[in-house]
Structures are given as structure tokens and as C-alpha cells.
Amino acid sequence: MKQEVAMVERLSAEARKAALKELTGWSEVSGRDAITRTFTFKDFNEAFGFMARVAVVAEKSDHHPEWRNVYKTVEVVLSTHDADGVTQRDVDLAKAMNTIAGQLAHS
């Protein structure tokens, strides 16, 4: 049986800007309450490995990214649909993505 997911609150514009200062490589999406980053890896295999690792984190937190992969790049957009904007869940997933990408770059 699926657990009830607690409603999460959308971050204020000030809180979102403060969070972005802590998120290397992330920026606001123009015209939408969302954040984005493009990750570039050495090849398709590394990009796909990144996506597989992020998928495990996303599934555990029941929070899934909008993303697109072309060869060695992964374009990501994060926004919480239930809150109609950026929430702490997006910030946490962005931090996890940065960590995973950093681990791949140093392996």
C-alpha cells in the first residue's frame, strides 16, 4: 500500500534564490517556478550511470526529475508538481545529483 505523501510547501522567491546560491551549476527556469542544470559527462555510459544512480535516489524519495539525455549530456528540470513550484524536495534532489555527478567525475 502506498503511503500518503505529506504536502510540501513551495519555496518563496527569496528561499529559492538562497538555495540556488548553494547549488553549483543550477539556475532558475525562465517563465516557470523550476530549477535546471545540464550535466556533461565523458561519454554516454557515464551519463547513463548518473541517471541510474539518481533514479534510485528519486524512487526512494518518491520525487522524480524531468530529464532528457542526449549522448553525454543530461538536462534536468526540477519542480514539485503537487506544490506547483520549487520545494525543499527539489533542492534535496539537486544536491544529491551534484554529489553523484561529483563522484563520477572523480572515479
Side-chain angles (χ1 to χ4, degrees):
M1 181 157 60
K2 189 161 179 125
Q3 287 184 329
E4 285 285 319
V5 177
M7 185 65 176
V8 287
E9 287 190 28
R10 185 168 68 178
L11 297 178
S12 67
E14 297 80 22
R16 187 175 57 250
K17 287 186 188 316
L20 280 171
K21 287 182 183 177
E22 305 296 316
L23 293 171
T24 304
W26 290 84
S27 60
E28 294 185 76
V29 174
S30 179
R32 183 173 171 200
D33 193 344
I35 58 176
T36 187
R37 179 170 178 188
T38 298
F39 293 89
T40 304
F41 299 95
K42 69 179 179 184
D43 56 25
F44 175 77
N45 189 50
E46 193 172 274
F48 193 82
F50 166 78
M51 293 178 77
R53 290 179 185 182
V54 170
V56 172
V57 173
E59 192 62 22
K60 283 182 182 177
S61 64
D62 194 30
H63 190 59
H64 306 90
E66 297 173 27
W67 56 9
R68 178 174 178 262
N69 166 242
V70 177
Y71 183 52
K72 66 179 184 174
T73 63
V74 179
E75 299 168 4
V76 181
V77 174
L78 297 177
S79 182
T80 303
H81 298 279
D82 293 345
D84 198 29
V86 177
T87 67
Q88 188 61 46
R89 295 175 87 191
D90 300 300
V91 173
D92 293 344
L93 187 53
K95 287 179 183 176
M97 288 178 159
N98 282 0
T99 298
I100 292 166
Q103 290 168 346
L104 289 170
H106 296 103
S107 61

